[in-house]
Amino acid sequence: MSGGGKKLRAGLIGLGAMGRNHARVLSNLDGVELVGIVDPAGDTTGTLRAPVVPELGDLLKLGVDYAVVACPTALHEQIGLELAANGVCALIEKPLAQSVEAATRLVEAFEAAGLVAGVGHIERYNPALQNLRTRLEAGELGEVFQVVTRRQGPFPHRIADVGVVMDLATHDIDLTAWVTGQDYTSVSARTVSRSGRLHEDMVAVVGQLADGTMVNHLVNWLSPLKERSTVITGDRGCFVADTLTADLTFYANAAIDTEWEALRAFRGVAEGDMIRYAIPKREPLLVEHERFRDAVEGKQSDIVTLRQGLRTVQVAAGLLESASAGTTVDVGAPVGGDPSRVSTTI
């Protein structure tokens, strides 16, 4: 590991759309040297500072302290298990794996090896959601009644091996449990496939959290409208987080009656204050990398653990099971438990 000013040696596996973003951040990350990248296609742009090698074994020969896994989800288990077997810490892109069984094997391998490992659930590092979580913990909304998320946009051609549930809804599952500090207990989902591909393109979810909070997720990749919205309603009003712009707005419950009769008919009987918060907006991917680097160095740091990543895959699998069977699915308690889901602070 890095000590006495020595830089951590990092590797990257995968040069897709997300992989190139990881390469950009790793190339400029304090305390880290990007020493090699794995991609069978090589460096097609000729702009990368680190050598691009065809196989993971070539990267391991270069010597790395940790690796970022940004290859297709179907390869996460194979790559992750090889990293764990070779004593290499890993930041694995979400979802952790394409099945609960594969995700479980990854958790067990890294835990048995005593290695730092995390999952790239990047929404946790979005400034709007970080600020929102702090405000919820402080009780600014009072009791939370409902969490509604909408995540839609055009089809991402980078995705071939999973559907919209594993690729996109996993963002909403993780951020909802993390922001509220509550785990899922049951889910009901409906999916459709309209693009002619093997996997689903749209999902609508109704769920419940452990404290009774109702959850709704609408997710698709067939819309020309790009939207990333999280709305949390409670007994003092509602928070609206736009994770595209990292804006957070609070709509307070009505405090003042509207006396103008014509306006009352149009807008309702009462209105409260609306506040848009000024939030420092650092790039979420950079923050994610800083936190993971610190964890590898042995510092106290907030990362998304593999067990948390496994739990998100479990809930996502519950959505697919519900959609297939047409029933509500009890997603129970996390396997092995993970108290850090609710106690980790930013």
Side-chain angles (χ1 to χ4, degrees), residues 44-221:
T44 56
T45 64
T47 59
L48 297 166
R49 302 182 198 173
V52 180
V53 296
E55 295 182 358
L56 178 56
D58 301 313
L59 177 65
L60 294 174
K61 289 174 187 174
L62 295 172
V64 289
D65 297 305
Y66 75 93
V68 176
V69 180
C71 55
T73 305
L75 300 175
H76 284 190
E77 181 187 8
Q78 172 194 335
I79 297 289
L81 292 179
E82 192 168 346
L83 290 171
N86 283 275
V88 177
C89 300
L91 174 59
I92 303 172
E93 260 304 334
K94 50 106 317 255
L96 174 55
Q98 62 184 159
S99 71
V100 172
E101 295 75 19
T104 301
R105 287 189 286 270
L106 283 168
V107 169
E108 291 171 347
F110 280 95
E111 287 184 351
L115 294 166
V116 174
V119 186
H121 280 291
I122 195 169
E123 291 284 45
R124 289 207 196 183
Y125 305 100
N126 188 288
L129 292 177
Q130 289 190 342
N131 195 278
L132 170 54
R133 183 174 191 252
T134 300
R135 293 179 183 281
L136 288 181
E137 286 183 330
E140 291 186 21
L141 198 57
E143 183 184 355
V144 175
F145 302 149
Q146 182 187 51
V147 180
V148 177
T149 71
R150 293 194 304 274
R151 182 177 302 271
Q152 54 186 346
F155 179 70
H157 293 285
R158 61 187 172 77
I159 297 298
D161 58 342
V162 292
V164 76
V165 168
M166 281 295 178
D167 183 58
L168 292 184
T170 45
H171 278 302
D172 297 295
I173 293 166
D174 182 77
L175 77 84
T176 298
W178 174 75
V179 162
T180 61
Q182 297 292 324
D183 194 34
Y184 285 75
T185 55
S186 66
V187 291
S188 178
R190 297 294 181 268
T191 60
V192 296
S193 182
R194 290 288 183 264
S195 67
R197 295 168 64 258
L198 179 63
H199 301 288
E200 76 286 347
D201 302 310
M202 300 178 132
V203 62
V205 181
V206 176
Q208 189 169 44
L209 303 182
D211 64 351
T213 298
M214 183 171 71
V215 172
N216 299 94
H217 305 306
L218 287 176
V219 190
N220 79 72
W221 52 30

Side-chain angles (χ1 to χ4, degrees), residues 12 15 34-39 43 48-54 59 62:
L12 170 64
L15 270 179
L34 177 59
V35 298
I37 300 168
V38 180
D39 196 292
D43 180 8
L48 297 166
R49 302 182 198 173
V52 180
V53 296
L59 177 65
L62 295 172

Side-chain angles (χ1 to χ4, degrees), residues 326-339:
T327 59
T328 296
V329 172
D330 181 352
V331 289
V335 172
D338 188 354

Side-chain angles (χ1 to χ4, degrees), residues 257-278:
D257 287 339
T258 302
E259 296 180 4
W260 181 8
E261 202 61 44
L263 194 61
R264 187 203 312 232
F266 178 65
R267 301 183 70 167
V269 295
E271 294 179 277
D273 292 331
M274 181 189 82
I275 304 166
R276 176 170 290 176
Y277 299 102

